[in-house]
Amino acid sequence: ALEEYLHAQELSTDTPGAHMNLAILRQSQGALEEAVASYRHALELDPYFLPAHFNLASLLNALGRNQEAEAVLRDGVERAPEEGDVHFSLSLLLAEEGRLEEAADSLLIAAKLLPERGRVHYNLGLTLQHLGRRQEAEAALLRALTLERGEPDFLHALTIFYLQAEDWQRAQHHARALSQAIPGSPLAQDLLRRAADGASAAGED
């Protein structure tokens, strides 16, 4: 079956999809350099073939070759500037390298192009929070929760955000929602306790 599959792909080697399929196969077999070569061949045939951009960048990242991965994604951004997913992928790579200002720039673009994607706004909020841009961060995190109500990651992020701001009432609100989203979670209970303790100490009971 494998030989038949390879033969079928070899009959279509003038198409980027065939090289993409070969790359995926080689990657699954652990032949990673061959997979890289096949992804690159796919992009030589069609530089606008975004699936190959994504897969190649992901593989290069896994191999610790982030500089090459970044080049692949930036090429994708240049060729398809209206595709939000390529901006989002670039932002994740930049954030992984600690280049948060650049990551935020890419995430802001991604959020505009993917306005209904909660995870994009969530990552934007976390990045802006790390940069000290709290007002923008809060807006992004709340937007994420509006899009995906009850998402534990978003509730957790907002609880932490308000605990750090010593906004005990909002922290309690989101911690309660988190405990409902994940019944019996020790983390949720601990956050709720911290928020309640903060409110008590501030005389907000």
Side-chain angles (χ1 to χ4, degrees), residues 6 26 46 57 59 62-63 74 76 89 102 107 112 160 165 169 176 183 189 198:
L6 288 171
R26 297 308 186 199
D46 183 359
L59 176 54
L63 291 171
R74 289 198 181 279
S89 293
E102 294 174 80
L107 279 165
K112 290 179 181 178
I160 295 297
Q169 296 303 320
R176 288 193 193 98
Q189 293 303 315

Side-chain angles (χ1 to χ4, degrees), residues 117-181:
R117 186 82 66 82
R119 188 64 55 172
V120 173
H121 294 280
Y122 165 74
N123 279 275
L124 174 60
L126 292 181
T127 302
L128 292 172
Q129 185 178 357
H130 281 297
L131 291 171
R133 296 160 60 176
R134 293 188 59 81
Q135 186 173 356
E136 296 171 86
E138 181 183 16
L141 291 172
L142 288 172
R143 173 62 178 163
L145 187 61
T146 298
L147 291 168
E148 297 182 38
R149 294 194 179 278
E151 167 55 49
D153 287 345
F154 304 169
L155 290 167
H156 177 259
L158 279 163
T159 302
I160 295 297
F161 181 90
Y162 288 122
L163 283 174
Q164 292 176 346
E166 298 185 358
D167 187 336
W168 309 117
Q169 296 303 320
R170 286 190 174 89
Q172 286 185 87
H173 171 76
H174 291 293
R176 288 193 193 98
L178 180 61
S179 66
Q180 292 171 1

Side-chain angles (χ1 to χ4, degrees), residues 14-27:
D14 57 340
T15 67
H19 289 283
M20 173 90 163
N21 291 336
L22 287 170
I24 293 171
L25 175 62
R26 297 308 186 199
Q27 191 170 344

Side-chain angles (χ1 to χ4, degrees), residues 42-60:
L43 289 172
E44 288 172 6
L45 290 172
D46 183 359
Y48 293 86
F49 189 41
L50 286 181
H53 281 91
F54 292 130
N55 283 24
L56 176 56
S58 177
L59 176 54
L60 290 169

